Amino acid sequence: MTVEDRQDRDIALAVSPGVDGADPRPIGSSPLGPAPVTQTYYAPSRHPVATYAALDLGTNNCRLLIARPAQHGFRVVDAFSRIVRLGEGLTASGRLADAAMDRAVEALKICKSKMTHRGVSRARLVTTEACRAATNGLDFVRRVAAEADLELEIVDQRTEASLAVTGCAALAHPTAEGVIVFDIGGGSTEIVWMGGRSQARDPAGRIREWASLPMGVVSVAERYGGVDVGREKFERMVDDCSAALKPFATRAAAAKDAAGFHLLGTSGTVTTVAGIHLGLPRYDRRLVDGLWMDETDILAVIDRLVDMDYAARSANACIGRERADLVLAGCAIFEAIRRAFPSRKVRIADRGLREGILLRMMHEDRAWWRRRQA
């Protein structure tokens, strides 16, 4: 089983729908962009509890989660993940390539089948940087509606950042007064300075600064090449990523001085680094999600990856052939963030945008309150 096609395990997120249950506002209802586009399905369901779906079609991956509310979070009942490389060649052409769109549509048809089979009652299906940047992004969205019967929403950068924060904020240390949360994507990297829990119950309400950086594993790898990298090229990648990060690092410089400051990363890059650190014979989400890593261990893994050739990266069970040319680009972005915001500890999250979408929909529907009253 590859890391991309792994089945997500059942999870119960340590996220309360509200400390006292009194706040009727949906999570993220503070000024965080336009109202979400959600789809309501009326397919008959054998289950008395509502079933929700969240889909994230990114520059590299197509990922789906289907879940039902559970105490303090939700229980995943089905999932799907496939590398489609929707943004392949986008940096050079400015357009989504026909072959890339074909791959994405076929993956989305599988997602539609799973949603129908599970009796999904409400869904939010988002697409991010590739469709935001492509001149034919809207044409692709219309094609998906016609061929896969799914309505994709092209989310803006701020919405993407706030959803990612909502999805993984539960892993921030409860006493930390400042956390840098980052999500290394295929075409962009979302990074947020999040304040402590004393500032607001809603994680999105604790956002002090945010940025969407025009660098992701696909775009960086396409610029530098991802097969033959080596130490010198890797350092040039880090330098370029650091330059792109500098304006945000300046605005969020005070985060480093907050009590309990640490980094919280959610992406295939950080989970890959964690899996290699643990020496996993195959990726296991249960061992990675929530892991604390020391900076020395992170550096040791990155150094190992830089010294590996392409064949060795392809053979690693936590990387695989489909991501062997992208992992060092992700590590360069990770290293640039670490250098800008030095932290002895980094929390690893195998959760993010999709989980944020699910939590918001369930909060809006007061799903946890209904469970208490049942």
Side-chain angles (χ1 to χ4, degrees), residues 217-285:
V217 297
V218 175
S219 54
V220 172
E222 287 187 348
R223 179 176 180 181
Y224 285 95
V227 176
D228 297 317
V229 179
R231 183 70 53 184
E232 182 181 351
K233 183 184 288 188
F234 181 77
E235 286 299 326
R236 284 193 279 120
M237 294 162 73
V238 174
D239 288 344
D240 274 4
C241 293
S242 295
L245 179 61
K246 188 174 181 179
F248 173 81
T250 299
R251 297 197 310 272
K256 301 190 293 282
D257 301 324
F261 170 75
H262 67 86
L263 298 177
L264 170 56
T266 169
S267 70
T269 296
V270 297
T271 56
T272 296
V273 168
I276 293 171
H277 163 66
L278 294 172
L280 300 180
R282 63 183 180 87
Y283 185 87
D284 189 336
R285 180 192 186 279

Coordinates of all heavy atoms in Angstrom, one line a residue, residues 217-285:
V217 N 5.5 21.9 -3.4 CA 6.4 20.9 -3.8 C 6.5 20.7 -5.3 O 7.5 20.4 -5.8 CB 6.0 19.5 -3.1 CG1 6.1 19.7 -1.6 CG2 4.6 19.0 -3.5
V218 N 5.3 20.9 -6.0 CA 5.4 20.7 -7.4 C 6.1 21.9 -8.1 O 6.9 21.7 -8.9 CB 3.9 20.6 -8.0 CG1 3.9 20.5 -9.5 CG2 3.3 19.3 -7.4
S219 N 5.7 23.1 -7.7 CA 6.3 24.3 -8.3 C 7.8 24.4 -8.1 O 8.6 24.7 -9.0 CB 5.6 25.6 -7.9 OG 5.5 25.7 -6.5
V220 N 8.2 24.1 -6.9 CA 9.7 24.1 -6.6 C 10.4 23.0 -7.3 O 11.5 23.3 -7.8 CB 9.9 24.1 -5.0 CG1 11.4 23.9 -4.7 CG2 9.3 25.3 -4.3
A221 N 9.8 21.8 -7.3 CA 10.5 20.7 -8.0 C 10.6 21.0 -9.5 O 11.6 20.6 -10.1 CB 9.7 19.4 -7.7
E222 N 9.5 21.6 -10.1 CA 9.6 21.8 -11.5 C 10.6 22.9 -11.8 O 11.2 22.9 -12.9 CB 8.2 22.3 -12.0 CG 7.2 21.1 -12.1 CD 5.9 21.5 -12.7 OE1 5.7 22.7 -12.9 OE2 5.1 20.6 -13.1
R223 N 10.9 23.8 -10.9 CA 11.8 24.9 -11.2 C 13.3 24.3 -11.1 O 14.1 24.7 -11.9 CB 11.7 26.0 -10.2 CG 12.7 27.1 -10.3 CD 12.4 28.3 -9.4 NE 13.4 29.4 -9.6 CZ 13.4 30.5 -8.9 NH1 12.4 30.7 -7.9 NH2 14.3 31.4 -9.1
Y224 N 13.5 23.5 -10.1 CA 14.9 23.0 -9.8 C 15.2 21.6 -10.3 O 16.3 21.2 -10.4 CB 15.2 23.1 -8.3 CG 15.4 24.5 -7.8 CD1 14.4 25.2 -7.2 CD2 16.7 25.0 -7.9 CE1 14.6 26.5 -6.8 CE2 16.9 26.3 -7.4 CZ 15.8 27.0 -6.9 OH 16.1 28.3 -6.4
G225 N 14.1 20.9 -10.6 CA 14.3 19.4 -10.8 C 14.3 18.7 -9.5 O 14.9 19.1 -8.5
G226 N 13.7 17.5 -9.5 CA 13.6 16.7 -8.3 C 14.3 15.4 -8.3 O 14.2 14.7 -7.3
V227 N 14.9 15.1 -9.4 CA 15.6 13.8 -9.5 C 17.0 13.9 -8.9 O 17.4 13.2 -8.0 CB 15.6 13.3 -10.9 CG1 16.3 11.9 -11.0 CG2 14.1 13.1 -11.4
D228 N 17.8 14.7 -9.5 CA 19.2 14.9 -9.1 C 19.3 16.2 -8.3 O 19.2 17.3 -9.0 CB 20.2 14.9 -10.3 CG 20.2 13.5 -11.0 OD1 20.2 12.5 -10.3 OD2 20.2 13.5 -12.2
V229 N 19.4 16.2 -7.0 CA 19.3 17.4 -6.2 C 20.7 17.7 -5.7 O 21.4 18.5 -6.2 CB 18.3 17.3 -5.1 CG1 18.2 18.6 -4.3 CG2 16.9 17.1 -5.8
G230 N 21.1 17.0 -4.6 CA 22.4 17.2 -4.0 C 22.4 18.4 -3.1 O 21.5 19.2 -3.1
R231 N 23.5 18.6 -2.3 CA 23.5 19.6 -1.2 C 23.5 21.0 -1.8 O 22.8 21.8 -1.2 CB 24.8 19.3 -0.4 CG 25.0 20.2 0.8 CD 24.0 19.9 1.9 NE 24.0 18.5 2.3 CZ 23.2 18.0 3.2 NH1 22.3 18.8 3.8 NH2 23.3 16.7 3.5
E232 N 24.3 21.3 -2.8 CA 24.3 22.7 -3.3 C 23.0 23.1 -3.8 O 22.5 24.2 -3.5 CB 25.4 22.8 -4.4 CG 25.5 24.2 -4.9 CD 26.6 24.3 -6.0 OE1 27.3 23.3 -6.3 OE2 26.7 25.3 -6.7
K233 N 22.3 22.3 -4.6 CA 21.0 22.6 -5.2 C 20.0 22.8 -4.1 O 19.1 23.7 -4.1 CB 20.6 21.6 -6.3 CG 19.3 22.0 -6.9 CD 18.8 20.9 -7.9 CE 19.6 20.9 -9.2 NZ 19.0 20.0 -10.2
F234 N 20.0 21.9 -3.1 CA 19.1 21.9 -2.0 C 19.2 23.3 -1.3 O 18.2 23.9 -0.9 CB 19.3 20.8 -1.1 CG 18.3 20.7 0.1 CD1 17.0 20.3 -0.1 CD2 18.7 21.2 1.4 CE1 16.1 20.3 1.0 CE2 17.9 21.2 2.4 CZ 16.6 20.7 2.3
E235 N 20.4 23.7 -1.0 CA 20.6 25.0 -0.3 C 20.1 26.2 -1.1 O 19.5 27.1 -0.6 CB 22.1 25.2 0.1 CG 22.5 24.3 1.2 CD 21.8 24.6 2.5 OE1 21.4 25.8 2.7 OE2 21.5 23.6 3.3
R236 N 20.2 26.1 -2.5 CA 19.6 27.1 -3.3 C 18.1 27.1 -3.2 O 17.5 28.2 -3.2 CB 20.1 27.0 -4.8 CG 21.5 27.4 -5.0 CD 21.9 27.5 -6.4 NE 22.2 26.2 -7.1 CZ 21.5 25.7 -8.1 NH1 20.5 26.3 -8.6 NH2 21.9 24.5 -8.5
M237 N 17.5 25.9 -3.2 CA 16.1 25.8 -3.0 C 15.7 26.5 -1.7 O 14.7 27.2 -1.6 CB 15.7 24.4 -3.0 CG 15.9 23.7 -4.4 SD 15.9 21.9 -4.3 CE 14.2 21.5 -4.0
V238 N 16.4 26.2 -0.6 CA 16.1 26.7 0.7 C 16.2 28.3 0.7 O 15.3 29.0 1.2 CB 17.0 26.1 1.8 CG1 16.7 26.8 3.1 CG2 16.7 24.6 2.0
D239 N 17.2 28.8 0.0 CA 17.4 30.2 0.0 C 16.3 30.9 -0.8 O 15.8 32.0 -0.3 CB 18.7 30.5 -0.7 CG 20.0 30.2 0.1 OD1 19.8 30.0 1.3 OD2 21.1 30.1 -0.5
D240 N 15.8 30.3 -1.9 CA 14.7 30.9 -2.6 C 13.4 30.9 -1.8 O 12.6 31.8 -1.8 CB 14.5 30.2 -3.9 CG 15.4 30.8 -5.0 OD1 16.2 31.7 -4.7 OD2 15.3 30.3 -6.2
C241 N 13.2 29.8 -1.1 CA 12.0 29.6 -0.3 C 12.1 30.6 0.9 O 11.1 31.2 1.3 CB 11.9 28.2 0.3 SG 11.5 27.0 -1.0
S242 N 13.3 30.8 1.4 CA 13.4 31.8 2.5 C 13.1 33.2 2.1 O 12.5 34.0 2.8 CB 14.9 31.7 3.1 OG 15.1 30.5 3.7
A243 N 13.5 33.5 0.8 CA 13.2 34.9 0.3 C 11.7 35.1 0.2 O 11.2 36.2 0.5 CB 13.9 35.0 -1.0
A244 N 11.0 34.0 -0.3 CA 9.5 34.2 -0.4 C 8.9 34.3 0.9 O 7.8 34.9 1.1 CB 9.0 33.0 -1.2
L245 N 9.5 33.7 1.9 CA 8.9 33.6 3.3 C 9.2 34.9 4.0 O 8.5 35.2 5.0 CB 9.5 32.4 4.0 CG 9.1 32.2 5.5 CD1 7.6 32.0 5.6 CD2 9.8 31.0 6.0
K246 N 10.2 35.7 3.6 CA 10.7 36.8 4.5 C 9.6 37.8 4.8 O 9.6 38.3 6.0 CB 11.8 37.5 3.7 CG 12.5 38.5 4.6 CD 13.8 39.1 3.9 CE 14.5 40.1 4.8 NZ 15.7 40.7 4.1
P247 N 8.7 38.3 3.9 CA 7.7 39.3 4.4 C 6.8 38.8 5.5 O 6.6 39.5 6.5 CB 6.9 39.5 3.1 CG 7.9 39.2 2.0 CD 8.7 38.0 2.5
F248 N 6.4 37.5 5.4 CA 5.6 37.0 6.5 C 6.4 36.8 7.8 O 6.0 37.1 8.9 CB 5.0 35.6 6.1 CG 4.3 34.9 7.3 CD1 3.0 35.3 7.6 CD2 5.0 33.9 8.0 CE1 2.4 34.6 8.7 CE2 4.3 33.3 9.1 CZ 3.0 33.7 9.4
A249 N 7.7 36.3 7.6 CA 8.5 36.2 8.8 C 8.8 37.5 9.5 O 8.8 37.5 10.8 CB 9.9 35.6 8.4
T250 N 8.8 38.6 8.8 CA 9.0 39.9 9.4 C 7.7 40.3 10.2 O 7.8 40.7 11.3 CB 9.3 40.9 8.3 OG1 10.5 40.6 7.7 CG2 9.4 42.3 8.9
R251 N 6.6 40.1 9.6 CA 5.3 40.5 10.2 C 5.0 39.6 11.4 O 4.4 40.1 12.4 CB 4.1 40.3 9.2 CG 4.2 41.2 8.0 CD 2.8 41.3 7.3 NE 2.2 40.1 7.1 CZ 2.4 39.3 6.0 NH1 3.2 39.8 5.0 NH2 1.8 38.2 5.8
A252 N 5.4 38.3 11.4 CA 5.1 37.4 12.5 C 6.3 37.1 13.4 O 6.3 36.2 14.2 CB 4.7 36.1 11.9
A253 N 7.3 38.0 13.4 CA 8.5 37.8 14.1 C 8.3 37.7 15.6 O 9.0 36.9 16.3 CB 9.5 39.0 13.9
A254 N 7.3 38.4 16.1 CA 7.0 38.3 17.6 C 6.5 37.0 18.0 O 6.5 36.7 19.2 CB 6.0 39.4 18.0
A255 N 6.0 36.1 17.1 CA 5.5 34.8 17.5 C 6.6 34.0 18.2 O 6.3 33.2 19.2 CB 5.1 34.0 16.2
K256 N 7.8 34.2 17.8 CA 8.9 33.4 18.4 C 9.1 33.7 19.9 O 9.7 32.9 20.6 CB 10.2 33.6 17.7 CG 10.2 33.3 16.2 CD 11.6 33.4 15.6 CE 12.2 34.8 15.6 NZ 11.6 35.6 14.5
D257 N 8.7 34.8 20.4 CA 8.8 35.3 21.7 C 7.7 34.8 22.7 O 7.7 35.1 23.9 CB 9.0 36.8 21.8 CG 10.2 37.3 21.0 OD1 11.2 36.6 21.0 OD2 10.1 38.4 20.4
A258 N 6.6 34.3 22.1 CA 5.5 33.9 22.9 C 5.8 32.7 23.7 O 6.6 31.8 23.4 CB 4.3 33.5 21.9
A259 N 5.2 32.6 24.9 CA 5.3 31.5 25.8 C 4.9 30.2 25.1 O 3.9 30.1 24.5 CB 4.5 31.7 27.1
G260 N 5.8 29.2 25.2 CA 5.5 27.9 24.7 C 5.5 27.8 23.2 O 4.9 26.8 22.6
F261 N 6.1 28.7 22.5 CA 6.1 28.8 21.0 C 6.6 27.4 20.5 O 7.6 26.8 20.9 CB 7.0 29.9 20.5 CG 7.2 29.8 19.0 CD1 6.2 30.2 18.2 CD2 8.4 29.4 18.5 CE1 6.4 30.1 16.8 CE2 8.6 29.3 17.2 CZ 7.6 29.7 16.3
H262 N 5.9 27.0 19.4 CA 6.4 25.8 18.6 C 5.8 25.9 17.2 O 4.9 26.7 16.9 CB 6.0 24.5 19.3 CG 4.6 24.2 19.4 ND1 3.9 23.5 18.4 CD2 3.7 24.4 20.4 CE1 2.6 23.4 18.7 NE2 2.5 23.9 19.9
L263 N 6.3 25.0 16.4 CA 5.8 24.9 15.0 C 4.8 23.7 15.0 O 4.9 22.7 15.7 CB 6.9 24.6 14.0 CG 8.0 25.7 13.9 CD1 9.1 25.2 12.9 CD2 7.4 27.0 13.4
L264 N 3.8 23.8 14.1 CA 2.8 22.8 13.8 C 2.7 22.6 12.3 O 2.2 23.5 11.7 CB 1.5 23.1 14.5 CG 0.3 22.3 14.2 CD1 0.5 20.8 14.5 CD2 -1.0 22.8 14.9
G265 N 3.1 21.5 11.8 CA 3.1 21.3 10.3 C 2.1 20.2 9.9 O 2.0 19.2 10.5
T266 N 1.4 20.5 8.8 CA 0.5 19.6 8.2 C 0.8 19.5 6.7 O 0.6 20.5 6.0 CB -1.0 19.9 8.5 OG1 -1.8 19.1 7.7 CG2 -1.3 21.4 8.2
S267 N 1.2 18.4 6.3 CA 1.4 18.2 4.8 C 2.1 16.8 4.6 O 2.5 16.2 5.6 CB 2.4 19.3 4.3 OG 3.7 19.1 4.8
G268 N 2.1 16.4 3.4 CA 2.8 15.1 3.1 C 4.3 15.2 3.4 O 4.9 14.2 3.7
T269 N 4.9 16.4 3.3 CA 6.3 16.6 3.6 C 6.6 16.2 5.0 O 7.4 15.4 5.4 CB 6.8 18.0 3.3 OG1 6.6 18.2 1.9 CG2 8.2 18.2 3.7
V270 N 5.8 16.9 6.0 CA 6.2 16.7 7.4 C 5.8 15.3 7.8 O 6.5 14.7 8.7 CB 5.5 17.7 8.3 CG1 6.0 19.1 7.9 CG2 4.0 17.7 8.2
T271 N 4.7 14.7 7.3 CA 4.4 13.3 7.7 C 5.4 12.3 7.1 O 5.7 11.3 7.8 CB 3.0 13.0 7.3 OG1 2.8 13.1 5.8 CG2 1.9 13.8 8.0
T272 N 5.9 12.6 6.0 CA 7.0 11.8 5.4 C 8.2 11.8 6.3 O 8.8 10.8 6.6 CB 7.3 12.2 4.0 OG1 6.2 12.0 3.1 CG2 8.5 11.4 3.4
V273 N 8.6 13.0 6.7 CA 9.8 13.2 7.5 C 9.6 12.4 8.8 O 10.5 11.7 9.3 CB 10.1 14.6 7.8 CG1 11.1 14.8 9.0 CG2 10.6 15.3 6.6
A274 N 8.4 12.4 9.4 CA 8.1 11.7 10.6 C 8.1 10.2 10.4 O 8.6 9.5 11.2 CB 6.7 12.1 11.1
G275 N 7.5 9.7 9.3 CA 7.6 8.3 9.0 C 9.0 7.7 8.9 O 9.3 6.7 9.4
I276 N 9.8 8.5 8.2 CA 11.2 8.1 8.0 C 11.9 8.1 9.4 O 12.7 7.2 9.7 CB 11.9 9.0 7.0 CG1 11.3 8.8 5.6 CG2 13.4 8.7 7.0 CD1 11.8 9.7 4.6
H277 N 11.7 9.1 10.2 CA 12.3 9.2 11.5 C 11.9 8.0 12.4 O 12.8 7.4 13.1 CB 11.8 10.5 12.2 CG 12.0 10.5 13.7 ND1 13.3 10.5 14.3 CD2 11.1 10.5 14.7 CE1 13.2 10.5 15.6 NE2 11.9 10.5 15.9
L278 N 10.7 7.6 12.3 CA 10.2 6.4 13.0 C 10.7 5.1 12.4 O 10.5 4.0 13.1 CB 8.7 6.4 13.1 CG 8.1 7.6 13.9 CD1 6.5 7.6 13.8 CD2 8.5 7.5 15.4
G279 N 11.2 5.1 11.3 CA 11.7 3.9 10.6 C 10.5 2.9 10.2 O 10.7 1.7 10.3
L280 N 9.4 3.5 9.8 CA 8.2 2.7 9.5 C 8.4 1.9 8.3 O 8.8 2.4 7.2 CB 7.0 3.6 9.4 CG 6.6 4.5 10.6 CD1 5.4 5.3 10.2 CD2 6.3 3.6 11.8
P281 N 8.1 0.6 8.3 CA 8.2 -0.3 7.1 C 7.1 0.1 6.1 O 7.2 -0.2 4.9 CB 8.0 -1.7 7.6 CG 7.2 -1.5 8.9 CD 7.7 -0.2 9.5
R282 N 6.0 0.7 6.5 CA 5.0 1.3 5.7 C 4.4 2.4 6.5 O 4.3 2.4 7.7 CB 4.0 0.3 5.2 CG 3.2 -0.3 6.3 CD 2.2 -1.4 5.6 NE 1.4 -2.0 6.6 CZ 0.2 -1.6 7.1 NH1 -0.3 -0.4 6.6 NH2 -0.5 -2.2 8.0
Y283 N 3.8 3.4 5.8 CA 3.3 4.6 6.6 C 2.1 4.1 7.4 O 1.2 3.4 7.0 CB 2.8 5.6 5.6 CG 2.4 6.9 6.2 CD1 3.3 7.9 6.5 CD2 1.0 7.1 6.5 CE1 2.9 9.1 7.2 CE2 0.6 8.2 7.2 CZ 1.5 9.2 7.5 OH 1.1 10.4 8.1
D284 N 2.1 4.7 8.6 CA 1.0 4.4 9.6 C 0.5 5.7 10.2 O 1.3 6.3 11.0 CB 1.4 3.4 10.7 CG 0.3 2.9 11.5 OD1 -0.8 3.6 11.6 OD2 0.4 1.8 12.1
R285 N -0.6 6.2 9.8 CA -1.1 7.4 10.3 C -1.2 7.5 11.8 O -1.0 8.5 12.5 CB -2.5 7.7 9.7 CG -3.1 9.0 10.1 CD -4.6 9.1 9.8 NE -5.0 10.5 10.1 CZ -5.4 10.8 11.3 NH1 -5.3 10.0 12.3 NH2 -5.8 12.1 11.6

